[in-house]
């Protein structure tokens, strides 16, 4: 088949050759040529992940380690930049948090993991978004105390195996993955391939993210796709899955203007940090936790079949502007259009009737509780 012509300056992941061989349609995303879909198409890939196991290439994400003399020192260095409790991470535990600016706005959202005991005490594993990784690394490195350093891991690939059959597939290769609970991880060997495996992902389904040396990525991809339960899935279905799961996408649903509280992410700020502060934007965030933010991220069900897209106006019943859509599309599992956006806090209660502008027409809609599809994480 003819391949899509790409700009010459796009980066490629270690799996690009396999995507093309599988007939993927490659598109520019965050500076990389990435598979948006395979020949089966986005709807089929979405449903396959919900029912079986979808395999995603997320090697464009930034992987790095914070390294220092001991856990307390490294955790304190990161806690000066994020609002999560990093000091309290147990061996093998992972947390979701946000890199904040001085106003409490979100520079990026990221995963932070403390390696399992064998890896030594003074290390944290970071996974940041592809589009912001260079800025993130500069921001973090410029603010680290002496004795703590950021080590990029550009020579690693990242694969995500997601869906109800993911545990069975991975368990057949490495039985110890069955012991991992949601948001925990461990170093292990997958048929001779050294890997760090965490039970996490961004689809709302049970699953794993697997970090391996870049030169072993094709081998692992081949190993996993040999299972009849596994099919490759592109960015298109990854987006529809995370939208149905009510998960925010950086640069769309969260950005430098939004605080974690507005975004509905206050759950990711543990009690000790709320009380002690010591992170950027603490005053604003404390005030919003205590008194409520001026606006909130909400789920929206739109009547009819036409999806509301990003930037669409959200109106009250009198036709006054009360917010904007930040993510929207057709929800294959929901069977209709779904969207997320920010509305003035008075309109954020589930059941509130609103209108959304679609192709210059006001379409009736309703604020609903997130997620649209229940999460199936292994607690």
């Amino acid at each position: 088949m003819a391949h899509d012509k790409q700009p010459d300056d796009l980066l490629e992941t270690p799996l690009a050759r396999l995507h093309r061989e599988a007939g993927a349609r490659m598109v520019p995303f965050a500076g990389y040529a990435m598979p948006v879909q395979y020949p089966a198409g986005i709807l089929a890939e979405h449903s396959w992940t919900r029912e079986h196991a979808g395999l995603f290439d997320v090697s464009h994400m930034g992987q790095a380690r914070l390294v220092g003399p001991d856990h307390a020192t490294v955790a304190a260095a990161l806690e000066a930049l994020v609002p999560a409790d990093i000091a309290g991470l147990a061996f093998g535990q992972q947390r979701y948090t946000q890199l904040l600016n001085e106003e409490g706005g979100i520079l990026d959202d990221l995963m932070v993991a403390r390696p399992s005991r064998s890896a030594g005490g003074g290390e944290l594993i970071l996974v940041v978004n592809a589009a912001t990784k260079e800025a993130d690394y500069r921001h973090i490195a410029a603010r680290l105390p002496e004795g703590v350093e950021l080590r990029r891991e550009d020579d690693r690939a990242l694969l995500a195996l997601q869906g109800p059959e993911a545990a069975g597939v991975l368990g057949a290769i490495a039985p110890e993955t069955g012991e991992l609970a949601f948001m925990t991880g461990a170093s292990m060997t997958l048929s001779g391939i050294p890997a760090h495996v965490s039970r996490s992902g961004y689809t709302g389904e049970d699953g794993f993210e697997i970090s391996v040396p870049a030169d072993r990525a094709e081998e692992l991809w081949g190993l996993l796709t040999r299972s009849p339960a596994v099919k490759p899935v592109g960015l298109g279905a990854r987006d529809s899955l995370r939208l149905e799961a009510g998960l925010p996408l950086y640069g769309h649903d969260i950005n430098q203007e939004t605080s974690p509280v507005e975004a509905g992410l206050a759950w990711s700020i543990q009690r000790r940090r709320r009380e002690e502060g010591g992170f950027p934007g603490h005053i604003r965030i404390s005030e919003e936790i205590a008194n409520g933010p001026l606006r909130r991220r909400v789920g929206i069900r739109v009547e009819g079949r036409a999806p509301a897209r990003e930037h669409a106006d959200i109106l009250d019943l009198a036709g006054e502007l009360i917010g904007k859509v930040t993510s929207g599309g057709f929800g294959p599992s929901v069977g209709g259009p779904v969207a997320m956006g920010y509305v003035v806090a008075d309109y954020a209660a589930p059941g509130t009737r609103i209108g959304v502008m679609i192709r210059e027409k006001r379409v009736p809609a309703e604020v609903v509780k997130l997620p649209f599809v229940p999460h199936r994480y292994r607690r």
Side-chain angles (χ1 to χ4, degrees):
M1 67 176 274
H3 294 302
D4 305 343
K5 178 141 176 46
Q6 298 296 325
D8 295 334
D9 57 351
L10 283 181
L11 300 168
E12 292 198 332
T13 76
L15 293 161
R17 182 181 71 84
L18 296 187
H19 300 319
R20 292 196 169 92
E21 282 182 3
R25 184 157 79 83
M26 306 293 281
V27 299
F29 181 82
Y32 285 78
M34 295 294 291
V36 69
Q37 66 181 80
Y38 297 85
I42 292 171
L43 285 176
E45 292 169 30
H46 177 109
S47 299
W48 187 267
T49 307
R50 287 264 188 256
E51 293 160 21
H52 304 287
L55 183 59
F56 302 78
D57 178 11
V58 286
S59 304
H60 58 315
M61 306 281 278
Q63 299 185 69
R65 288 192 184 232
L66 269 190
V67 183
D70 51 56
H71 177 66
T73 304
V74 177
L78 190 57
E79 284 189 357
L81 307 176
V82 306
D85 177 359
I86 307 300
L89 280 175
F91 287 110
Q93 190 181 7
Q94 177 170 297
R95 280 207 163 122
Y96 168 80
T97 190
Q98 308 83 33
L99 204 56
L100 300 177
N101 61 26
E102 291 305 323
E103 292 74 45
I106 302 171
L107 297 169
D108 195 15
D109 59 342
L110 67 157
M111 289 290 186
V112 181
R114 186 179 183 188
S116 44
R117 196 174 300 272
S118 58
E123 278 191 28
L124 293 169
I125 302 168
L126 311 182
V127 180
V128 301
N129 280 303
T132 50
K133 65 182 169 186
E134 297 301 333
D136 288 359
Y137 292 158
R138 284 195 301 271
H139 179 86
I140 294 168
R143 290 161 178 79
L144 292 176
E146 203 171 332
V148 179
E149 65 167 319
L150 179 77
R151 290 184 192 159
R152 298 174 61 132
E153 298 198 311
D154 296 339
D155 57 349
R156 295 188 73 80
L158 192 63
L159 284 64
L161 185 67
Q162 302 280 297
E165 293 182 5
V169 171
L170 211 53
I173 300 166
E176 60 266 45
T177 57
E179 296 163 20
L180 295 175
F182 181 58
M183 295 294 271
T184 68
S187 295
M188 62 186 69
T189 303
L190 306 176
S191 284
I193 304 167
H196 184 271
V197 179
S198 72
R199 197 155 198 161
S200 62
Y202 223 59
T203 61
E205 294 291 334
D206 183 26
F208 303 86
E209 291 199 343
I210 310 163
S211 173
V212 294
D215 60 2
R216 307 297 293 272
E218 285 195 358
E219 192 182 339
L220 180 60
W221 189 270
L223 179 68
L224 294 171
T225 52
R226 276 207 289 277
S227 166
V230 177
K231 287 189 177 171
V233 180
L235 291 175
R238 181 172 157 86
D239 194 54
S240 58
L241 289 159
R242 71 92 201 162
L243 177 56
E244 287 187 339
L247 301 171
L249 182 64
Y250 192 79
H252 302 265
D253 309 294
I254 49 176
N255 58 34
Q256 296 191 30
E257 308 296 316
T258 50
S259 78
V261 187
E262 291 177 324
L265 304 174
W267 58 267
S268 68
I269 307 174
Q270 287 74 29
R271 183 172 167 184
R272 177 178 67 83
R273 300 307 314 278
R274 294 182 185 206
E275 291 171 354
E276 292 179 9
F279 56 84
H282 173 245
I283 292 171
R284 170 192 176 181
I285 288 168
S286 296
E287 200 167 276
E288 288 181 347
I289 289 172
N291 304 315
L294 296 177
R295 56 179 191 151
R296 290 188 183 273
R297 179 170 66 95
V298 296
I300 300 164
R301 284 295 312 268
V302 183
E303 290 183 10
R305 304 297 287 174
R309 300 293 184 188
E310 186 176 1
H311 307 306
D313 288 345
I314 304 171
L315 312 172
D316 67 11
L317 295 182
E320 296 294 320
L321 183 69
I322 56 167
K324 291 268 187 189
V325 171
T326 52
S327 280
F330 181 79
S333 303
V334 173
V338 291
M340 293 190 292
Y342 285 83
V343 296
V344 176
D346 292 349
Y347 296 88
T352 303
R353 299 293 299 172
I354 54 172
V356 179
M357 293 301 292
I358 302 175
R359 300 193 201 103
E360 299 180 18
K361 189 173 153 212
R362 188 181 166 283
V363 178
E366 186 177 324
V367 173
V368 297
K369 197 172 186 302
L370 292 171
F372 299 102
V373 173
H375 295 162
R376 295 202 284 187
Y377 305 133
R378 183 182 183 240
R379 299 291 180 185

